[in-house]
Amino acid sequence: MKKVYFIVLIVSLYACREQRKPVPVRTEPDYEKADSLMSSNTDSAFYYYNKVATNSKDSLLIARAYNGMAIIQTDAGDYFGSQQSLLLSLKYLDETKEENQYCLLSDYNELGNTSLNLQNYDAAINYYNLALKFSKNQQLNRIALNNMGVAYYKKGEFKQAIEIYRSIIDSTRKNRKEYARVLSNMAKVLWLQNPDYRALPDFQTALRIRKAEKDDWGLNASYSHLADYYYKSYPDSALSYAGKMYDISRNLNSPDDELEALKKLIMLSRPERVKMYFERYRYLSDSVQAARNTAKNQFALIHFDVEKSKTDNLRLQKENAEKNTQLLMQSMIGSLIFLLFIAVIIVSYRKNKKRQERLKQESEIARREEKLRASKKVHDEIANGLYRIMAEVQHNNLEKEKLLDKIDALYEQSRDISYEWKREEPADFSETINGLLNAFSSEEQKVTSSGNEAALWAGVNNKVKQELLPVLQELMVNMQKHSGAGSVAIRFKKEHNILQIHYADDGKGLPENFRKKNGLTSTGNRIVELRGEFNFDIDSVKGLKIRINIPIN
């Protein structure tokens, strides 16, 4: 929910800006521009942060720039992009340097936030613990612990969540907003653990405090808790609180909370009002998904433009140096040869400029076509699906529980569309593969590879490369979320025009009732489209082994 992110954003901004005061750090004009635009124009802020990360020579400033980019990506719903930026930020930081610790705190806290949003609760808890390691402020500690409590209760481990809330609630009494947040969260978890627990007095106390403090984000959470609490016992009261949550989430301009409130209203309202709420839900869900897809694409374009600008500048510098050397040599031979040489340079320059313009135009056309393809995909699969559900609501008197199941399934389907985006061929594909695998390697989960050399990828069809990156990413995500592995090995080999990829880990392996979900189904489809094979080794005694064979031409 949006309010969880808002709390974590406080930690990130406070850690990355307030704690820097005791230790002077360098800055640059582009970084100052990005900071000043953070609250008014996030696209421009992202652009300037990216310029700093690409061009700066100061490792700490680069880490801070990646941290700022990650916060913007999280707010836009680009959680995987945010994690990538944060992992890049960590590579530029040294835990032993005091001036680096405020950014380490912010990076780990934001990684906890993105993991929470991606429902990877174990990772979220681990990152919050790492953030606490670098925090020297008690209020920040309490906020991080509160978020860790959220991760535990989302995971279903109510006892651990309750222990955390009880350990910090007494120290929050001087801060009424903070006290209300912890009190309300603890009451909800106690009630979830024991439905007979009388959570209402605590809920009402938190609500009174939030009204007195004019804490709209807190009121939004209180109304959600009370709607859930009254859902079975007093549906009319639950409906009233769901309506209040709906109103305040719209005032806060928080689409995620508005969608949650609409779900409650659809479940609790009379049949004649369900259609109205569902139409609003359909419109808002469509708009949120479209906005997030646009934001992800915009971030990718900004990355591309900044990298291209840097490459062009380096190339032009090199070309200018070569031209100056040639001109100096020609001046020694004579003015006639010098003039002829200048003429050749001018003609060459004009041809090169026209070629660059043509390539740029072709690149922009390709990007537009890719956007249109994604828009068509959203229309064909999501919009048509929503209209199908509307028809069932109108003509078949669809039960509310089944209606919400269909809505949730359609929402997951909309997220899966992002798996199908194509990417341009990287200059060094072996380095790209290394970067992907290293992003998932940690002290707890070692990822190693062999055979990933530049010579291996020579002659491999570009389509194979484009499809292989999301395949490997899906394997890594599943490994990190489900396997419990401590060691992962991936071997690449090319034999008889067949690209062979062998994956092995020492995790839990496949359960007896294993079924492929969206990610692995999409992965299998990609391999089939390449006329390849994607096989699980079901006879493996321990861990998981996967074999992939793909024709390279």
Side-chain angles (χ1 to χ4, degrees):
M1 288 167 53
K2 184 76 173 180
K3 53 182 171 285
V4 174
Y5 166 70
F6 181 75
I7 293 169
V8 181
L9 178 58
I10 293 174
V11 178
S12 298
L13 293 178
Y14 187 95
C16 225
R17 285 162 176 76
E18 293 300 323
Q19 285 198 357
R20 76 170 72 159
K21 291 180 179 179
V23 182
V25 292
R26 288 181 55 190
T27 187
E28 292 176 4
D30 282 338
Y31 186 87
E32 292 173 358
K33 285 181 184 178
D35 264 359
S36 67
L37 293 165
M38 191 69 165
S39 60
S40 60
N41 189 335
T42 53
D43 282 352
S44 296
F46 188 91
Y47 172 80
Y48 285 111
Y49 280 136
N50 198 40
K51 281 189 68 177
V52 174
T54 304
N55 300 318
S56 179
K57 304 298 183 184
D58 187 324
S59 60
L60 177 55
L61 200 61
I62 294 172
R64 290 162 58 196
Y66 276 122
N67 178 273
M69 292 160 64
I71 291 173
I72 294 171
Q73 288 170 299
T74 299
D75 194 27
D78 184 9
Y79 303 127
F80 286 113
S82 177
Q83 286 185 334
Q84 184 179 12
S85 295
L86 291 165
L87 292 172
L88 287 171
S89 176
L90 289 171
K91 288 184 178 181
Y92 288 92
L93 296 172
D94 184 347
E95 294 185 6
T96 63
K97 295 182 178 179
E98 182 181 357
E99 64 269 23
N100 284 195
Q101 292 187 0
Y102 68 84
C103 210
L104 285 162
L105 162 62
S106 182
D107 283 349
Y108 284 126
N109 190 79
E110 192 68 16
L111 280 166
N113 176 40
T114 55
S115 298
L116 196 61
N117 280 295
L118 291 170
Q119 301 180 11
N120 191 351
Y121 303 124
D122 288 333
I125 292 166
N126 180 56
Y127 286 130
Y128 287 136
N129 275 319
L130 289 170
L132 289 168
K133 175 183 175 182
F134 297 101
S135 174
K136 299 179 181 179
N137 180 285
Q138 291 301 314
Q139 184 177 5
L140 295 181
N141 287 349
R142 291 194 298 270
I143 293 175
L145 285 167
N146 179 78
N147 291 330
M148 192 186 300
V150 173
Y152 272 119
Y153 107 71
K154 291 279 189 181
K155 188 182 176 184
E157 296 183 2
F158 301 138
K159 180 179 178 182
Q160 290 87 338
I162 293 167
E163 289 177 355
I164 289 175
Y165 290 134
R166 282 176 172 165
S167 72
I168 62 175
I169 192 166
D170 288 338
S171 62
T172 66
R173 293 183 183 275
K174 292 183 180 180
N175 186 322
R176 289 171 60 79
K177 287 185 180 181
E178 193 177 352
Y179 174 70
R181 179 170 64 247
V182 176
L183 179 66
S184 187
N185 286 346
M186 183 170 68
K188 180 174 182 178
V189 180
L190 286 166
W191 171 62
L192 289 172
Q193 184 187 48
N194 178 14
D196 295 329
Y197 176 75
R198 293 186 68 254
L200 185 58
D202 290 340
F203 285 150
Q204 291 175 333
T205 299
L207 181 62
R208 286 194 299 270
I209 293 173
R210 285 163 164 172
K211 285 181 177 179
E213 296 292 322
K214 297 180 179 180
D215 179 9
D216 287 345
W217 286 102
L219 285 171
N220 182 66
S222 281
Y223 292 146
S224 175
H225 291 172
L226 285 163
D228 292 340
Y229 182 77
Y230 280 122
Y231 177 75
K232 291 184 179 179
S233 56
Y234 295 98
D236 289 343
S237 297
L239 177 62
S240 174
Y241 284 116
K244 291 179 179 180
M245 181 186 179
Y246 176 69
D247 292 337
I248 202 167
S249 65
R250 298 193 70 175
N251 290 335
L252 291 169
N253 192 26
S254 174
D256 289 331
D257 288 309
E258 185 179 345
L259 287 170
E260 181 184 337
L262 284 166
K263 284 185 181 180
K264 298 179 191 298
L265 290 170
I266 291 171
M267 290 289 294
L268 293 163
S269 299
R270 293 186 175 90
E272 61 268 19
R273 297 187 64 85
V274 169
K275 179 180 176 181
M276 178 188 70
Y277 289 131
F278 177 73
E279 288 177 346
R280 172 63 184 170
Y281 184 96
R282 179 190 64 180
Y283 167 78
L284 184 60
S285 178
D286 228 13
S287 299
V288 169
Q289 189 61 39
R292 287 178 175 172
N293 285 340
T294 300
K296 292 176 185 178
N297 191 46
Q298 182 67 14
F299 296 146
L301 291 176
I302 291 173
H303 275 304
F304 173 79
D305 289 341
V306 172
E307 288 291 340
K308 184 176 183 299
S309 177
K310 180 181 179 181
T311 302
D312 288 345
N313 287 335
L314 291 173
R315 187 180 68 252
L316 288 173
Q317 291 174 12
K318 181 180 179 181
E319 288 177 355
N320 289 335
E322 291 175 351
K323 290 175 184 177
N324 290 335
T325 301
Q326 291 173 353
L327 289 172
L328 179 61
M329 293 174 62
Q330 292 296 328
S331 67
M332 298 171 61
I333 299 174
S335 59
L336 180 59
I337 298 177
F338 173 78
L339 291 174
L340 290 174
F341 178 75
I342 290 296
V344 172
I345 291 297
I346 292 173
V347 172
S348 175
Y349 175 79
R350 288 178 177 175
K351 288 183 178 180
N352 188 42
K353 183 176 180 181
K354 289 181 180 179
R355 178 175 176 274
Q356 290 177 357
E357 291 174 350
R358 176 173 58 79
L359 291 175
K360 180 179 180 181
Q361 184 179 19
E362 291 174 354
S363 177
E364 290 175 351
I365 291 172
R367 289 199 297 268
R368 287 198 296 270
E369 290 175 350
E370 191 68 7
K371 290 179 183 178
L372 288 173
R373 186 195 67 79
S375 298
K376 183 177 183 300
K377 196 74 172 177
V378 171
H379 174 271
D380 290 346
E381 296 187 13
I382 307 307
N384 290 344
L386 286 169
Y387 279 113
R388 184 179 69 251
I389 295 175
M390 271 298 299
E392 292 183 45
V393 171
Q394 291 175 334
H395 304 300
N396 298 327
N397 194 24
L398 196 63
E399 294 180 6
K400 294 179 182 178
E401 290 289 344
K402 292 183 178 179
L403 174 60
L404 284 183
D405 288 344
K406 289 177 178 288
I407 291 171
D408 285 339
L410 198 58
Y411 175 72
E412 292 298 326
Q413 183 182 357
S414 70
R415 293 178 61 188
D416 290 343
I417 290 176
S418 62
Y419 288 160
E420 299 179 10
W421 281 73
K422 294 182 179 179
R423 301 178 181 175
E424 295 180 8
E425 181 181 5
D428 188 338
F429 193 70
S430 62
E431 286 299 318
T432 301
I433 293 292
N434 283 335
L436 172 63
L437 300 181
N438 290 340
F440 290 88
S441 184
S442 66
E443 292 295 327
E444 294 78 17
Q445 293 180 315
K446 297 291 185 181
V447 180
T448 60
S449 65
S450 63
N452 179 30
E453 306 293 341
L456 177 78
W457 303 107
V460 175
N461 185 284
N462 185 34
K463 179 175 176 62
V464 174
K465 296 178 183 178
Q466 289 177 337
E467 298 294 340
L468 187 57
L469 283 174
V471 167
L472 291 174
Q473 178 170 284
E474 182 64 34
L475 292 180
M476 292 295 97
V477 170
N478 276 278
M479 173 275 295
Q480 194 175 73
K481 291 176 64 176
H482 304 301
S483 73
S487 177
V488 181
I490 300 179
R491 178 164 57 88
F492 301 86
K493 184 178 180 182
K494 186 165 62 177
E495 189 171 285
H496 303 304
N497 282 330
I498 298 294
L499 177 63
Q500 300 177 358
I501 302 173
H502 293 241
Y503 167 96
D505 67 37
D506 60 356
K508 295 181 289 188
L510 296 176
E512 294 182 357
N513 59 348
F514 169 74
R515 291 179 60 191
K516 292 183 181 178
K517 296 187 178 179
N518 288 342
L520 286 178
T521 299
S522 176
T523 297
N525 290 339
R526 291 179 186 276
I527 299 300
V528 170
E529 287 178 4
L530 296 173
R531 295 182 294 127
E533 298 176 348
F534 180 68
N535 298 313
F536 292 86
D537 187 352
I538 60 176
D539 297 326
S540 178
V541 177
K542 181 179 180 182
L544 175 64
K545 294 182 180 179
I546 298 174
R547 291 177 287 107
I548 299 173
N549 295 327
I550 303 173
I552 64 175
N553 295 321

